[in-house]
Amino acid sequence: MRSHYCGQLNASLSEQTVTLCGWVNRRRDLGGLIFIDLRDRSGLLQVVFDPDQKALFEQANKLRQEFCVKLTGKVSLRPESQINRKMASGEIELLATELTILSRSEALPIDFNQHVSEEARLRYRYLDLRRTEMSDNLQFRAKVTSSVRRFLDTQGFLDIETPMLTRATPEGARDYLVPSRTHQGQFFALPQSPQLFKQLLMMSGFDRYYQIVKCFRDEDLRADRQPEFTQIDIETSFMTAEQVMQVTENMTRQLFSELLSVELGEFPQMTWHEAMRRFGSDKPDLRNPLELVDVADLVKDVEFKVFAGPANDSKGRVAALKVPGKAADISRKIIDEYTKFVGIYGAKGLAWIKVNEDGLQSPILKFLPEPVVEQIIARTEAQVGDILFFAADSATVVAEALGALRLKVGEAFGFVSNEWKPLWVVDFPMFEEFEGGLAALHHPFTAPVGVTPEQLRENPTGTLSNAYDMVLNGVEVGGGSVRIHEREMQQAAFDILGIGEAEAQEKFGFLLEALKYGTPPHAGLAFGLDRLVMLMVGASSIRDVIAFPKTTTAACLLTDAPGVANPAALDELGINVKAKAKAE
């Protein structure tokens, strides 16, 4: 129906006749001339209707916002004084000769000239997606996936699909279950990732696999989480961790260069322990120069138990966060707000010291010997005008509390630079402790570094995993690892995680069986496509780069899903729905 998109027209097409299709973005009637801004996915174009063409002009007079139309006309250069520099097509306009109203529009239920709630945007998503911002986001996302495919294709990777209906496996979140009609009482699970299948593909000899794939996790949501999300999933055989990191780093650098004209350069590497020590996070935002400084060794012998207790605990930590030059700007009211803030992360309080022109100021100075305070000031390199914040608790609480405060203060006082800061975080612990046992920090199929199965069993918490995360501006955009490719090592990992032989056989029997038959060394990485695109377009939520996302309660306002199932369908599945308990 169309010969061009609005955004394709420019001065080089002057005097040519073209046909366009799109929506009336705006209509103006100025002294006998009717102007409309025609919109399609490529942008806007001004269209002019001449009153001398009476039938056409009368038809144009009926146009309203969001009418869907087809237009034919001649491309005309605008006079110099009328050029619109804000529009890509601002040097030209279309002198209409034919108009077909393809579809009329009622008054819109939402007005995008005013603030529109996210609830309304999601309920009328098809209208929200007409907005230039949203249209641009989704078009950019398509460019990202296209660039990724081209890169991986040239590197010899094969795009192979894996099943959507599979077996439930423990990967850190609840599964979405799908009942089976043909096997009543049994359930499929939607995959949290294609982890086991891509490992099986390596065992099958497809040594370079990729897939842009939907994954599903039934977990509590926030801005960068959705119940269904998209991964750029990559797996390789006969490649080391460094080689996988190099390939995916090259892919990311090409992506930014091609689509944003940004040169990321070589990605630095940092160990997990260094990241937690310096930044309190395993995904540090390196645009923020603020760092944590450990002072536990300086306060072990003080009488101030708030510091001395954690300082003498093998699992405790005492650390300081220096905020340079902001002592005068951070009032007691702000300190009280920060104290409440770190309480969210389990901190019982927030000690502080200001370095003023006339000396130090703090309620904790009376509890600390002067030499200890001098050592703290020296170690943190605090200068006049600086303020130090302290957290003393378990290492986990201190890292989370001061790590979060670091980000909050950095944003509030403009410490965060406007640049791209990529990073590889490596050498993660193999396991993390929780009440009642150990859990895999990544997943149960991650290979340990430099140990035998016996050594892993003897010292699980002291073993590092061969895992690596790609971090960009404080966001984990990709994570991967070398996988376990020996049955004995996989069984040892299961034993440490409390997955007994019977449970392992029930849940992973097919994997354990496959590991018997010449499994190659293999490694991979998965990118969160939604997060990556969110960063690249500067959005604050992945919902702004997904066509039809869910709310934070995992509901679809557009289709009103989830809904109540047909009783006949439930009967066919052999399912009885338990009545929801009434609130008392």
Side-chain angles (χ1 to χ4, degrees):
M1 294 177 70
R2 57 158 64 99
S3 65
H4 294 76
Y5 284 96
C6 294
Q8 293 175 329
L9 303 186
N10 53 47
S12 68
L13 297 174
S14 176
E15 300 304 311
Q16 291 192 26
T17 297
V18 298
T19 299
L20 308 171
C21 294
W23 286 264
V24 177
N25 193 66
R26 190 166 63 128
R27 176 185 175 278
R28 307 183 303 284
D29 191 340
L30 302 176
L33 286 177
I34 293 176
F35 296 84
I36 68 165
D37 289 338
L38 185 69
R39 185 190 71 246
D40 60 25
R41 76 178 201 193
S42 69
L44 297 171
L45 177 71
Q46 179 170 283
V47 181
V48 183
F49 294 90
D50 188 342
D52 291 339
Q53 300 185 51
K54 293 184 179 180
L56 178 65
F57 193 80
E58 185 177 333
Q59 197 177 12
N61 202 36
K62 300 175 183 177
L63 294 177
R64 297 294 181 268
Q65 185 183 14
E66 297 305 318
F67 274 31
C68 185
V69 299
K70 174 184 174 183
L71 278 162
T72 298
K74 184 184 290 186
V75 178
S76 174
L77 294 175
R78 294 198 201 187
E80 181 68 27
S81 61
Q82 295 179 19
I83 291 176
N84 186 344
R85 305 291 179 187
K86 295 180 182 179
M87 291 174 62
S89 60
E91 290 184 313
I92 58 168
E93 59 190 8
L94 188 74
L95 302 180
T97 56
E98 295 180 31
L99 166 64
T100 303
I101 297 176
L102 300 173
S103 177
R104 287 170 164 77
S105 173
E106 296 182 4
L108 298 186
I110 46 180
D111 181 359
F112 287 112
N113 293 316
Q114 302 178 15
H115 172 74
V116 178
S117 69
E118 187 174 51
E119 180 180 352
R121 287 177 54 207
L122 294 181
R123 187 172 300 282
Y124 298 100
R125 189 62 162 184
Y126 46 87
L127 296 179
D128 186 43
L129 292 177
R130 291 183 188 176
R131 291 191 301 124
T132 301
E133 177 186 353
M134 293 302 299
S135 177
D136 288 349
N137 284 355
L138 292 190
Q139 290 183 68
F140 187 89
R141 181 183 176 121
K143 292 177 182 178
V144 170
T145 57
S146 178
S147 177
V148 166
R149 290 185 189 280
R150 286 198 308 273
F151 177 88
L152 292 174
D153 289 344
T154 62
Q155 297 295 311
F157 285 82
L158 300 174
D159 183 357
I160 305 176
E161 294 180 351
T162 53
M164 284 290 106
L165 296 176
T166 183
R167 187 178 183 87
T169 57
E171 291 194 36
R174 288 180 294 272
D175 289 309
Y176 277 99
L177 299 178
V178 180
S180 170
R181 179 186 59 80
T182 53
H183 302 276
Q184 281 199 7
Q186 295 182 301
F187 295 81
F188 294 105
L190 299 179
Q192 294 186 34
S193 79
Q195 183 62 46
L196 299 183
F197 286 106
K198 65 185 178 184
Q199 289 190 245
L200 291 172
L201 285 170
M202 297 304 103
M203 299 172 194
S204 305
F206 298 97
D207 60 327
R208 293 194 175 198
Y209 141 96
Y210 82 94
Q211 186 182 186
I212 297 178
V213 59
K214 281 287 186 185
C215 302
F216 306 86
R217 294 183 182 179
D218 186 5
E219 59 186 350
D220 294 333
L221 307 180
R222 55 178 184 243
D224 60 349
R225 285 185 181 173
Q226 282 278 291
E228 52 180 322
F229 56 97
T230 306
Q231 282 187 184
I232 304 169
D233 206 45
I234 298 170
E235 196 77 7
T236 69
S237 297
F238 310 113
M239 288 179 68
T240 64
E242 287 293 337
Q243 289 171 323
V244 172
M245 292 163 68
Q246 191 62 57
V247 167
T248 52
E249 180 179 321
N250 290 344
M251 184 187 80
T252 306
R253 282 208 301 267
Q254 178 175 303
L255 193 62
F256 273 73
S257 178
E258 180 182 320
L259 300 184
L260 296 180
S261 299
V262 170
E263 303 303 325
L264 292 177
E266 296 290 328
F267 291 17
Q269 292 189 22
M270 182 181 297
T271 68
W272 179 89
H273 283 94
E274 181 183 355
M276 297 302 292
R277 176 177 59 82
R278 293 173 58 190
F279 306 107
S281 171
D282 60 2
K283 47 181 185 295
D285 188 345
L286 299 187
R287 297 173 303 163
N288 184 342
L290 305 183
E291 295 192 20
L292 280 57
V293 178
D294 285 305
V295 296
D297 59 311
L298 304 180
V299 296
K300 278 187 174 182
D301 300 323
V302 301
E303 294 183 3
F304 189 41
K305 298 301 181 186
V306 172
F307 280 6
N312 287 282
D313 186 340
S314 62
K315 296 182 179 180
R317 184 180 183 188
V318 184
L321 175 69
K322 181 181 72 175
V323 184
K326 299 301 176 183
D329 298 320
I330 298 179
S331 63
R332 285 302 301 267
K333 180 182 178 183
I334 294 176
I335 292 173
D336 289 342
E337 291 173 357
Y338 288 167
T339 302
K340 289 181 181 178
F341 175 74
V342 297
I344 297 170
Y345 301 91
K348 301 178 185 68
L350 185 66
W352 55 274
I353 296 176
K354 285 187 176 184
V355 185
N356 299 324
E357 287 275 5
D358 55 356
L360 303 181
Q361 174 191 357
S362 172
I364 67 168
L365 291 176
K366 59 190 175 204
F367 302 114
L368 301 175
E370 190 173 329
V372 170
V373 175
E374 291 175 353
Q375 289 176 306
I376 291 173
I377 297 299
R379 179 170 294 180
T380 59
E381 300 180 353
Q383 304 292 321
V384 171
D386 297 349
I387 181 171
L388 299 174
F389 290 108
F390 299 86
D393 212 301
S394 70
T396 299
V397 168
V398 170
E400 291 183 356
L402 282 189
L405 183 62
R406 169 182 173 269
L407 297 178
K408 187 176 182 68
V409 171
E411 288 288 347
F413 291 99
F415 287 109
V416 181
S417 64
N418 185 24
E419 54 188 327
W420 295 100
K421 286 287 189 177
L423 171 73
W424 284 109
V425 178
V426 299
D427 292 344
F428 287 79
M430 183 78 175
F431 302 101
E432 58 182 343
E433 297 183 62
F434 71 99
E435 286 187 20
L438 297 175
L441 197 65
H442 273 75
H443 55 62
F445 317 106
T446 301
V449 177
V451 296
T452 65
E454 293 73 24
Q455 290 170 328
L456 180 63
R457 286 189 174 94
E458 289 171 4
N459 185 25
T461 57
T463 302
L464 298 179
S465 68
N466 204 343
Y468 35 84
D469 282 358
M470 184 187 289
V471 177
L472 184 60
N473 291 3
V475 177
E476 179 197 329
V477 293
S481 67
V482 173
R483 321 303 188 188
I484 295 171
H485 73 283
E486 297 168 320
R487 194 179 194 281
E488 295 77 12
M489 184 66 79
Q490 188 64 75
Q491 189 60 61
F494 285 162
D495 290 344
I496 291 166
L497 294 170
I499 301 173
E501 189 172 341
E503 184 182 0
Q505 195 61 41
E506 179 194 351
K507 292 180 177 177
F508 310 108
F510 60 95
L511 177 70
L512 295 173
E513 177 71 14
L515 287 170
K516 296 178 183 178
Y517 306 115
T519 301
H522 55 287
L525 183 143
F527 287 90
L529 175 63
D530 310 305
R531 289 185 185 181
L532 184 61
V533 177
M534 176 187 74
L535 282 177
M536 294 182 77
V537 302
S540 59
S541 165
I542 62 172
R543 290 191 291 276
D544 285 338
V545 297
I546 298 172
F548 299 104
K550 306 293 188 292
T551 67
T552 53
T553 58
C556 176
L557 298 179
L558 174 65
T559 62
D560 202 22
V564 176
N566 185 302
L570 291 177
D571 186 60
E572 200 171 18
L573 293 166
I575 292 177
N576 289 319
V577 177
K578 186 177 179 181
K580 187 176 181 180
K582 294 182 179 180
E584 293 183 3

